[in-house]
Amino acid sequence: VTKENRLVLKGIIEKKALNYSVSFVDNFRIDEINILNASILAMHQCIAISHFFPEHILVDGNRFKPYKNIPHLCVIQGDGKYLNIAAA
């Protein structure tokens, strides 16, 4: 997706989504825990600040650490299979 299309889609997602959240993990923390764990940390942070408590979590990829006993499913190439992963 081009940068221009990402910006258009960002606006649509922000207006139409029932819920979304954004998190940030800085480069110093990434150096401490590695990029995979930083990605998982950012996902956990997004869930924590969400206005909704999810019944199930879909994750793009093959690794995730459980969050508060919420069932989750890791999906390799999930962005091509699930719209909610693609929107992320």
Side-chain angles (χ1 to χ4, degrees):
V1 178
T2 66
K3 181 178 180 178
E4 293 80 18
N5 285 342
R6 280 195 308 272
L7 291 174
V8 169
L9 291 170
K10 177 182 181 276
I12 293 168
I13 291 166
E14 289 175 347
K15 287 180 184 177
K16 303 270 183 177
L18 296 176
N19 184 52
Y20 74 93
S21 56
V22 177
S23 182
F24 175 82
V25 178
D26 70 35
N27 58 304
F28 299 108
R29 187 73 173 132
I30 292 169
D31 288 344
E32 290 174 10
I33 64 175
N34 76 43
I35 191 69
L36 173 64
N37 287 315
S39 296
I40 294 170
L41 174 61
M43 287 185 257
H44 284 198
Q45 290 172 346
C46 282
I47 297 166
I49 63 174
S50 172
H51 298 294
F52 296 97
F53 195 78
E55 294 178 12
H56 194 272
I57 300 167
L58 286 175
V59 179
D60 189 22
N62 63 353
R63 304 245 174 107
F64 185 71
K65 293 178 182 175
Y67 183 83
K68 295 190 177 183
N69 297 319
I70 301 170
H72 69 275
L73 176 65
C74 294
V75 183
I76 296 171
Q77 298 180 342
D79 56 340
K81 299 173 183 174
Y82 293 94
L83 289 177
N84 56 334
I85 293 177

